Amino acid sequence: MFVLFEDAGKFLAGRVLSEAQTSVQVELDSGKRVKVKSTSVLLKFDQPAAGELMADAQSVAATIDLDLAWEFAPDEDFGFNDLARDYFSDRPTLAQQAGALLRLFEAPHYFRRAGKGRFRKAPAETVRQALAAIEKKKAVQEQICAWASELEAGSCPAAVREQLYRILFKPDKNAPEYKAVVEASRHAQQAPLALLQKAGAIDSPYQFHLRRFLLEHFPKGTGFPPLAAPAIHEDLPLADVQAFSVDDSSTTEIDDALSVQGLGSGTVTVGIHIAAPGLALQPACALDQLARERLSTVYMPGYKITMLPDDVVRAYTLQEGRDCPAVSLYVRLDEASLAVLGSETRLERVPIVANLRHDQLDAHLTEAWLANPAGAQGDAPQAALRVREPLSFFFRLAQHLKAQREIARGKPENFSRPDYNFRLAGNDGREPTGDEQVEITVRRRGSPLDLIVSEAMILANSTWGQWLADLGVPAIYRSQASLAPGVKVRMGTKSLPHAGIGVKSYAWSTSPLRRYTDLVNQWQIVAAARHGRTAALAAPFKPKDAELFSIISAFDAAYSAYNSHQAAMERFWTLRWLRQNEVRELVATVFKDNLARAEDVPLVLPVLGAGDLPRGARVRVRLGAIDEIALDVTGTMVQRLDTASAELSPQDDEGEEETVAGPIAIAVDVDDTAQAPAAGENTSS
């Protein structure tokens, strides 16, 4: 005797070996023996054989029209054999009964299970909705197969192109566009990114890198809601100074300006004046929430995404020709020894007489010109001549401050490598297309103007940081325990030494228009200026305030991501420069393993054949293929240019991180979903 039974949602048939009161011992066609509960047995029969019955049942099931069966079925619960009698005849064969069972079981949208071998037909509306869903799913699957076929054929469907960056980096893995890419990648046996490149989906490498970044960090876009800059209603006194700023020509967020009083009197007062959005914006206001979302301005060659709206920046920037609200630090110095005699912080309006520009002045304002304020004027622009004496004093002070810091840090700062300026011809600050002609020029690190500004900002950040700590007012500090390898700069709420800079305390406070940490610290400084010893009670952020830790965590992550994006875009434009100028070879210096640094452009690349050379070896490198998507280029050493080793000292690479191409991480995983039918295959499921 044979039985047909249900086992864990499957229907099996086999020969009965023995039968007890509540169970049956059955041998399957495979030879496997199973113990089956009597309640799970649905049919008993002597012939045909088990395997033959199951094959016949499958054939019969395929002939049953579900719509017709649903019409025949009673409204109450019924058994599969009841349906077989209604559908076939009053004496259905075993194959017809088993076929009815299989067909009922595989159509849950028509018939709901009501027990072992028993069913109840679904309501008409449920059936209608289920059939519509099945048709929709079938149509979607057909669309997926069609799109996959197009991708394999080297053409990108419009729907995939529209969702390209979301598919690659933040996909909805149930979306048909994503499934089409996975399907095509599997069938073509190609990596998804390579497949999409071949299909022409990525028509601009520049847009690929920019949209990838924006999708991650600006998913709602880079525009601003219509928010007006609140006015500063406080009646601020007018400072008796003539202040000037020093920035690049592209800078619109002019955060800082400088002034000097008392030259020739024996006691000189230098002023470091910082734009004061903190006098108008309040914590938790709409503009504060906006700034806290962005946390910093994002810089890249030819373009930037500002932390605050342009109208707000214009309201508080230290614009030439205006009396601008500022938080001013005045430091009194002995004119001869440059010893610090004292400092004071004021909230005031500061007359800005000049906005000087690095790129227009660096070539004219040399060390010799600044060291002798009474010397020949040379070809220096008129704007610089107006503030020549203050500039000369600041240059002298900057050299003194730098020397003091280098004593504290235990070794000189290294400026052996240049900075580079990128200019996109005809761009004028608009979002680049990626096709612009790029110009790369060298800007010497540690130039006189650079030194003046950097030392003034270090003086302000360290002085204010220590002042807030002395008053017990919490702030956001940067610190570094030592210059030992691997010891990184950290952010926290405690005033600790910064070994890399060589100061006892350091709190970013001089860029409140473009860094959120500086805006937060400005609020604390304003409270200290107004309330003195009781400032800790009045400051917006109190000791051990959880908000400060939250800001530090978010800023650290965002600032790191923004810097990485800036480095990637600079590398993109460097590779584009190589192509535009048809550079085939360049001179580079080996500095680590097989890595070399180009001498004339900001490029680090792996060089085949340079692995055994000492650090500092100069080599001529022949460039390989350039990949602007992977930001990759390799080189092959063709000649060593130095005859003796000029090995680099470890400090030559102090504090520098190198940008070298790596694999592009995408979120498309061809192994994380069930295998779908190959493109073009017919499927009825």
Side-chain angles (χ1 to χ4, degrees), residues 559-628:
Y559 203 63
S560 176
Y562 295 174
N563 285 337
S564 295
H565 176 67
Q566 180 179 354
M569 299 312 285
E570 288 179 356
R571 187 173 178 89
F572 167 82
W573 285 112
T574 300
L575 297 179
R576 181 56 60 94
W577 182 88
L578 294 175
R579 277 191 166 161
Q580 290 175 350
N581 292 276
E582 299 182 352
V583 176
R584 302 285 183 265
E585 293 185 354
L586 49 75
V587 177
T589 303
V590 177
F591 70 94
K592 181 170 63 175
D593 300 328
N594 67 332
L595 294 179
R597 184 183 298 109
E599 292 189 354
D600 299 322
V601 289
L603 179 67
V604 170
L605 72 164
V607 177
L608 185 64
D612 296 329
L613 296 181
R615 290 162 51 91
R618 294 180 70 245
V619 294
R620 184 175 300 282
V621 178
R622 180 179 296 117
L623 298 178
I626 294 174
D627 186 339
E628 291 180 348

Side-chain angles (χ1 to χ4, degrees), residues 401-422:
L401 293 173
K402 181 173 183 288
Q404 286 188 316
R405 291 192 302 100
E406 288 178 341
I407 293 172
R409 74 195 297 273
K411 60 180 178 180
E413 288 182 319
N414 172 41
F415 292 122
S416 61
R417 284 184 241 154
D419 278 335
Y420 293 91
N421 291 326
F422 292 79

Side-chain angles (χ1 to χ4, degrees), residues 338-451:
L338 298 179
V340 175
L341 304 177
S343 63
E344 179 185 3
T345 298
R346 299 177 192 165
L347 311 179
E348 58 189 5
R349 289 180 296 124
V350 176
I352 307 298
V353 299
N355 291 144
L356 305 182
R357 302 298 182 177
H358 273 292
D359 46 319
Q360 299 171 10
L361 298 176
D362 276 344
H364 306 289
L365 274 59
T366 63
E367 286 92 339
W369 190 89
L370 288 166
N372 183 14
Q377 294 182 359
D379 57 355
Q382 188 62 37
L385 293 175
R386 291 173 60 192
V387 291
R388 183 173 184 179
E389 285 192 60
L391 279 172
S392 295
F393 181 81
F394 262 111
F395 182 56
R396 177 180 163 225
L397 175 62
Q399 291 174 307
H400 173 74
L401 293 173
K402 181 173 183 288
Q404 286 188 316
R405 291 192 302 100
E406 288 178 341
I407 293 172
R409 74 195 297 273
K411 60 180 178 180
E413 288 182 319
N414 172 41
F415 292 122
S416 61
R417 284 184 241 154
D419 278 335
Y420 293 91
N421 291 326
F422 292 79
R423 180 178 175 274
L424 308 185
N427 172 254
D428 297 328
R430 297 185 303 273
E431 181 181 321
T433 64
D435 298 322
E436 291 83 356
Q437 193 75 19
V438 60
E439 300 172 11
I440 301 178
T441 55
V442 175
R443 174 176 157 190
R444 183 166 64 90
R445 298 176 76 175
S447 66
L449 287 179
D450 261 345
L451 185 65

Side-chain angles (χ1 to χ4, degrees), residues 199-274:
I202 304 170
D203 48 17
S204 168
Y206 177 84
Q207 290 297 319
F208 172 83
H209 295 293
L210 179 62
R211 298 303 161 199
R212 174 190 181 195
F213 170 76
L214 294 180
L215 185 67
E216 177 68 26
H217 298 284
F218 294 87
K220 297 178 182 178
T222 59
F224 291 98
L227 294 173
I232 297 174
H233 298 294
E234 189 173 347
D235 186 15
L236 300 173
L238 181 65
D240 185 19
V241 298
Q242 299 289 297
F244 59 92
S245 66
V246 183
D247 294 279
D248 289 320
S249 290
S250 61
T251 300
T252 56
E253 303 144 301
I254 303 174
D255 294 286
D256 52 85
L258 308 173
S259 68
V260 178
Q261 302 172 74
L263 287 174
S265 68
T267 300
V268 175
T269 301
V270 297
I272 303 169
H273 312 283
I274 307 302

Side-chain angles (χ1 to χ4, degrees), residues 24-266:
V24 181
Q25 192 76 15
V26 178
E27 182 181 52
L28 304 178
D29 284 351
S30 64
K32 181 181 178 181
R33 297 185 176 185
V34 294
K35 184 178 181 180
V36 180
K37 291 181 179 179
S38 299
T39 55
S40 296
V41 175
L42 301 173
L43 284 175
K44 293 183 178 181
F45 54 96
D46 294 321
Q47 57 179 350
E52 184 179 345
L53 175 66
M54 293 304 293
D56 291 343
Q58 294 281 3
S59 298
V60 170
T63 68
I64 297 177
D65 185 304
L66 287 173
D67 289 320
L68 187 60
W70 186 86
E71 291 291 344
F72 283 159
D75 291 333
E76 64 275 6
D77 292 359
F78 61 91
F80 65 92
N81 44 10
D82 297 327
L83 179 68
R85 280 192 291 271
D86 290 340
Y87 191 90
F88 294 108
S89 68
D90 59 349
R91 298 177 61 84
T93 65
L94 280 171
Q96 289 172 336
Q97 293 179 59
L101 174 64
L102 299 181
R103 190 61 166 154
L104 287 166
F105 189 80
E106 68 186 19
H109 48 292
Y110 279 97
F111 303 101
R112 298 172 178 174
R113 300 193 64 186
K116 296 289 184 180
R118 298 193 64 77
F119 301 87
R120 174 186 286 268
K121 73 177 184 179
E125 180 60 21
T126 301
V127 173
R128 188 190 65 78
Q129 292 175 358
L131 291 177
I134 290 171
E135 284 302 312
K136 182 179 178 181
K137 183 177 180 181
K138 183 179 178 181
V140 168
Q141 184 58 46
E142 289 173 352
Q143 182 65 80
I144 290 171
C145 291
W147 284 340
S149 296
E150 284 187 60
L151 287 168
E152 284 186 68
S155 174
C156 182
V160 173
R161 189 185 298 276
E162 288 172 6
Q163 296 292 318
L164 176 64
Y165 300 104
R166 191 163 296 280
I167 290 169
L168 288 173
F169 304 115
K170 280 198 169 182
D172 171 3
K173 296 191 176 182
N174 291 316
E177 295 86 355
Y178 174 85
K179 290 183 177 181
V181 172
V182 172
E183 167 77 12
S185 296
R186 285 176 176 154
H187 197 249
Q189 296 185 343
Q190 279 186 292
L193 189 56
L195 175 86
L196 290 165
Q197 283 183 265
K198 182 180 175 183
I202 304 170
D203 48 17
S204 168
Y206 177 84
Q207 290 297 319
F208 172 83
H209 295 293
L210 179 62
R211 298 303 161 199
R212 174 190 181 195
F213 170 76
L214 294 180
L215 185 67
E216 177 68 26
H217 298 284
F218 294 87
K220 297 178 182 178
T222 59
F224 291 98
L227 294 173
I232 297 174
H233 298 294
E234 189 173 347
D235 186 15
L236 300 173
L238 181 65
D240 185 19
V241 298
Q242 299 289 297
F244 59 92
S245 66
V246 183
D247 294 279
D248 289 320
S249 290
S250 61
T251 300
T252 56
E253 303 144 301
I254 303 174
D255 294 286
D256 52 85
L258 308 173
S259 68
V260 178
Q261 302 172 74
L263 287 174
S265 68

